[in-house]
Amino acid sequence: MIDQFYADSIQQQFGNKYMKPLLIGEGAFSKVFKCQNELGEFVAIKVVNLLGIQPFIVSSLKNEIQLLNQIKNDNVIRLYESQESQSALFLVLEYCEMDVKHMMINYFDNKLPEDLVINILRQMVNGLNYLHQKNILHRDLKLENIGVMIKKEDFYQHKKLNNIHFQSIFQNGSYKLLDLGLSKKFLNQKNTKTLAGTLLNMAPEILQRKSYSFEADIYSLGVCLYQMITGEYPFDNSLNRKKQIKLIQKQNAKFQEIQNSNLRDIIQKMLNFKVEDRLTFEQLYQSPLLQSTIENVQSQFQNSLIQNTEFSILDDVKSIQSDVSIICPNTSMVETDVSFIQPNYMQNQSNYEKISDNQDISSEINSNQSFEEIQKNSFYKSLIDKPKLIFYKDCKFNQLIKRFNSLYDQFALVIKLCENFLDLISSIPQKLKYQNFEVQFQKYLEYFSDLLEIMIKH
């Protein structure tokens, strides 16, 4: 009866938008249902009973909603929408068939093949580094909070196959960080002291009630990877926090059970007791485990850049293109000498006058497009349709007009650069997603936004 009450509340809240609710999970104050949307696609709807619930739990849920609304990454669970009634809170999320703990127990006798663990590692690095770039600390990384999304064609076949074929099915899967209820969004500070997380997955600095930061997530990820391979926690004394700390200090885990030496090295360094000795993302990206994949697709990325080199917008602007290295966030691992845009004023924001004020805007936007083609683009229409100001006899006024015309050209240039960056991001091969190039390019776009503000003020 209680389950039916929750299921009925979904229909009352959403009507026929989400159908065929099937209970797939539950907690003390919530239940999760698998539903189908109007296109027949599966979603997960988390229904939280707000009646009698403690305020801190509601706060945690609303924190999760707020953070998920800011996130768009292939390896972090996606929130489609959220709604609230007088008695319940509804979160409509991506549907994952299971979590990693369930996958281990039901398909792999509680120990995953190391090749599969390496694949999960790469995807978790993508999701976790993305969160950290957004100044979000997860704080509750554990096997239950890593979702497994299986491709449709694989999902319908896996029940017909024996265990020999399970690895290939899960090797093709997507792995997503779940449950951001305990996550922390840093604003001005970069550390916190709040005791949060799951004891056996907590970094030692949290257990010691010291100030901690992003390195704590790296430790928790190391615990998850160790568990995937051995089926055990690396340091296990959940009944006594002080003894747990001593176990971590001794670093006496069964690392020898990890066959792949590179993977063993990564996990050992992730589980370092001392924060300063713990593995960083920069060091992680330099690991052969990640570099081997990058080398195989590096030419694809270079081709993507070459195909998107419409950045020579002003022919008479000297040095508008320069060879730069495309660097992974927080790493010097991937370096390609690709011709890339770096306008003079990116190096010196005061050098605005280096752009010609007499150049026709139609040629500035794209030398390969006709003026009529450009006019069809509503993004530039407001700029193109408005003529530049003409000159008058007043010398001072002429200087103002000249200044306006110069800025006019530069605004068009910056807008075009932003559009090309967006096109470039969308063309990056999926295999490189875990390196978070999109986060790095977002910083360029933010730079251009700041640049426009400076131009307006001056």
Side-chain angles (χ1 to χ4, degrees), residues 5 13 48-53 83-90:
F5 170 79
Q13 187 70 25
V48 184
N49 185 358
L50 296 178
L51 300 178
I53 193 172
Q83 293 190 22
E84 184 175 354
S85 68
Q86 291 182 346
S87 60
L89 185 63
F90 302 84

Side-chain angles (χ1 to χ4, degrees), residues 125 129 281-295 297-298 325-336 432 434-437:
V125 167
N129 191 25
F281 277 117
E282 181 178 359
Q283 294 167 337
L284 186 56
Y285 281 126
Q286 292 170 357
S287 167
L289 290 184
L290 271 69
Q291 280 196 342
S292 60
T293 300
I294 294 163
E295 290 168 359
V297 296
Q298 193 170 10
S325 295
I326 305 300
I327 307 297
C328 260
N330 302 324
T331 177
S332 58
M333 178 212 24
V334 179
E335 297 182 355
T336 56
L432 285 165
Y434 67 83
Q435 295 178 53
N436 277 313
F437 283 105

Side-chain angles (χ1 to χ4, degrees), residues 82-118:
S82 62
Q83 293 190 22
E84 184 175 354
S85 68
Q86 291 182 346
S87 60
L89 185 63
F90 302 84
L91 283 71
V92 183
L93 301 153
E94 272 185 308
Y95 173 70
C96 293
E97 279 74 21
M98 63 195 77
D99 58 50
V100 168
K101 184 174 183 179
H102 177 94
M103 180 182 74
M104 289 175 61
I105 294 172
N106 290 277
Y107 296 95
F108 292 98
D109 196 25
N110 208 37
K111 292 183 181 181
L112 297 183
E114 292 188 7
D115 286 345
L116 179 56
V117 174
I118 292 169

Side-chain angles (χ1 to χ4, degrees), residues 2 36 61 68 76 320-321 345 368 370 382 433 448 456:
I2 295 176
Q36 281 185 292
L61 289 165
L68 287 175
V76 181
I320 196 168
Q321 288 186 318
Y345 51 78
N368 296 323
S370 66
S382 60
K433 284 292 186 181
F448 285 130
I456 292 171

Side-chain angles (χ1 to χ4, degrees), residues 127-288:
L128 190 60
N129 191 25
Y130 176 89
L131 291 183
H132 290 185
Q133 292 280 344
K134 293 282 189 179
N135 290 323
I136 298 172
L137 181 64
H138 189 284
R139 293 205 295 192
D140 198 21
L141 277 173
K142 54 186 178 181
L143 298 182
E144 297 92 326
N145 284 342
I146 302 176
V148 184
M149 185 178 289
I150 305 173
K151 291 183 178 180
K152 286 184 179 180
E153 56 270 27
D154 289 337
F155 177 74
Y156 290 118
Q157 291 180 13
H158 88 283
K159 294 183 178 180
K160 303 176 184 178
L161 302 175
N162 57 39
N163 288 10
I164 297 174
H165 299 279
F166 284 151
Q167 183 174 349
S168 62
I169 289 175
F170 289 108
Q171 191 75 28
N172 292 332
S174 296
Y175 296 86
K176 298 176 181 286
L177 291 169
L178 310 177
D179 196 351
L180 272 66
L182 294 180
S183 297
K184 171 74 174 180
K185 170 82 172 184
F186 289 126
L187 298 176
N188 298 322
Q189 82 282 19
K190 292 288 185 179
N191 52 66
T192 182
K193 285 189 175 182
T194 306
L195 184 66
T198 302
L199 182 62
L200 291 178
N201 295 74
M202 283 184 189
E205 58 268 29
I206 302 179
L207 294 170
Q208 291 176 305
R209 306 303 295 267
K210 293 181 178 179
S211 177
Y212 63 91
S213 189
F214 299 113
E215 297 84 3
D217 276 349
I218 295 290
Y219 178 89
S220 297
L221 179 58
V223 173
C224 292
L225 296 171
Y226 184 94
Q227 279 184 277
M228 292 178 201
I229 297 170
T230 66
E232 302 174 354
Y233 284 100
F235 316 107
D236 188 353
N237 196 317
S238 58
L239 299 178
N240 190 305
R241 185 164 56 91
K242 291 183 179 179
K243 289 184 178 179
Q244 176 74 12
I245 294 171
K246 289 182 179 179
L247 286 175
I248 300 173
Q249 282 179 312
K250 292 179 180 178
Q251 294 285 290
N252 192 23
K254 301 176 183 178
F255 293 114
Q256 68 277 6
E257 292 189 16
I258 306 172
Q259 300 301 311
N260 186 303
S261 60
N262 291 318
L263 184 57
R264 186 193 314 128
D265 182 61
I266 284 175
I267 294 174
Q268 280 187 281
K269 291 179 178 177
M270 282 183 170
L271 294 175
N272 261 320
F273 180 84
K274 293 183 179 178
V275 175
E276 59 271 21
D277 294 335
R278 203 168 296 156
L279 194 70
T280 65
F281 277 117
E282 181 178 359
Q283 294 167 337
L284 186 56
Y285 281 126
Q286 292 170 357
S287 167

Side-chain angles (χ1 to χ4, degrees), residues 255-428:
F255 293 114
Q256 68 277 6
E257 292 189 16
I258 306 172
Q259 300 301 311
N260 186 303
S261 60
N262 291 318
L263 184 57
R264 186 193 314 128
D265 182 61
I266 284 175
I267 294 174
Q268 280 187 281
K269 291 179 178 177
M270 282 183 170
L271 294 175
N272 261 320
F273 180 84
K274 293 183 179 178
V275 175
E276 59 271 21
D277 294 335
R278 203 168 296 156
L279 194 70
T280 65
F281 277 117
E282 181 178 359
Q283 294 167 337
L284 186 56
Y285 281 126
Q286 292 170 357
S287 167
L289 290 184
L290 271 69
Q291 280 196 342
S292 60
T293 300
I294 294 163
E295 290 168 359
N296 292 335
V297 296
Q298 193 170 10
S299 60
Q300 296 181 44
F301 179 59
Q302 185 167 351
N303 290 336
S304 295
L305 290 174
I306 293 172
Q307 291 169 6
N308 288 273
T309 53
E310 287 186 355
F311 298 113
S312 299
I313 303 173
L314 302 182
D315 295 334
D316 62 340
V317 178
K318 296 181 180 180
S319 303
I320 196 168
Q321 288 186 318
S322 61
D323 291 334
V324 299
S325 295
I326 305 300
I327 307 297
C328 260
N330 302 324
T331 177
S332 58
M333 178 212 24
V334 179
E335 297 182 355
T336 56
D337 291 330
V338 181
S339 185
F340 200 79
I341 178 65
Q342 189 176 7
N344 292 323
Y345 51 78
M346 286 181 69
Q347 298 177 349
N348 185 350
Q349 293 180 349
S350 64
N351 278 344
Y352 297 141
E353 302 302 334
K354 291 190 177 182
I355 298 180
S356 170
D357 56 56
N358 295 319
Q359 194 155 7
D360 188 273
I361 192 166
S362 63
S363 63
E364 292 167 12
I365 293 177
N366 190 333
S367 59
N368 296 323
Q369 286 182 304
S370 66
F371 184 70
E372 288 74 21
E373 289 174 328
I374 297 169
Q375 282 184 310
K376 293 178 182 177
N377 189 337
S378 60
F379 194 69
Y380 302 108
K381 191 171 179 59
S382 60
L383 286 175
I384 297 169
D385 289 347
K386 296 177 182 178
K388 297 180 182 180
L389 297 178
I390 60 175
F391 283 76
Y392 289 89
K393 293 182 179 180
D394 189 322
C395 182
K396 291 183 179 180
F397 190 59
N398 282 345
Q399 291 178 352
L400 291 175
I401 294 174
K402 182 178 180 181
R403 177 65 175 166
F404 171 83
N405 287 339
S406 175
L407 289 176
Y408 181 97
D409 291 339
Q410 294 170 52
F411 276 119
L413 172 63
V414 174
I415 290 171
K416 180 59 180 176
L417 289 173
C418 290
E419 185 189 54
N420 281 343
F421 268 124
L422 292 173
D423 290 341
L424 179 56
I425 293 168
S426 65
S427 71
I428 294 174

